[in-house]
Amino acid sequence: MAVNINGSYGVNKELRAESKLGWVTFKWLASLIVCELPTILKASSFPHSQFIQMIMYMCLNLIFSFYMVSQPSTNPGKLMWEIIYASLAVHHVRYLPIDYYIR
């Protein structure tokens, strides 16, 4: 949290503290801009008969964009999109059986 200096100004105690505007963090605002703007443009191509599917598409994309910028409890130093990317990236690791080194 912030330490008060002269009433209305504050300094964050932690170096990696998130920048906030009220209760909204800036990374959430960036995720809205990056994810929801293309979603709204794509949603305009839905026909009028699929209005409910369009609303569901926009809501699910909103939830997914907030999920990707959240921090998991098991690895608090990274964001979800970084963890998913690291698990999908190809690591050229060669696994050898134990008896390979014994010979």
Side-chain angles (χ1 to χ4, degrees), residues 18-97:
E18 297 176 346
S19 300
K20 291 185 177 182
L21 181 64
W23 60 273
V24 178
T25 61
F26 285 124
K27 67 181 178 183
W28 281 22
L29 290 176
S31 74
L32 278 177
I33 293 169
V34 169
C35 294
E36 285 301 310
L37 188 62
T39 301
I40 292 170
L41 295 174
K42 179 70 175 167
S44 65
S45 65
F46 278 83
H48 293 291
S49 62
Q50 292 182 340
F51 179 74
I52 295 182
Q53 287 89 346
M54 178 188 70
I55 297 298
M56 287 174 42
Y57 171 72
M58 292 174 68
C59 289
L60 286 175
N61 198 339
L62 179 68
I63 292 168
F64 181 72
S65 66
F66 285 144
Y67 172 74
M68 292 304 260
V69 294
S70 65
Q71 291 183 350
S73 60
T74 56
N75 194 355
K78 298 211 176 268
L79 301 175
M80 285 303 291
W81 70 268
E82 293 171 324
I83 293 171
I84 292 172
Y85 177 73
S87 67
L88 293 176
V90 176
H91 302 288
H92 297 287
V93 177
R94 187 174 160 201
Y95 294 100
L96 299 172

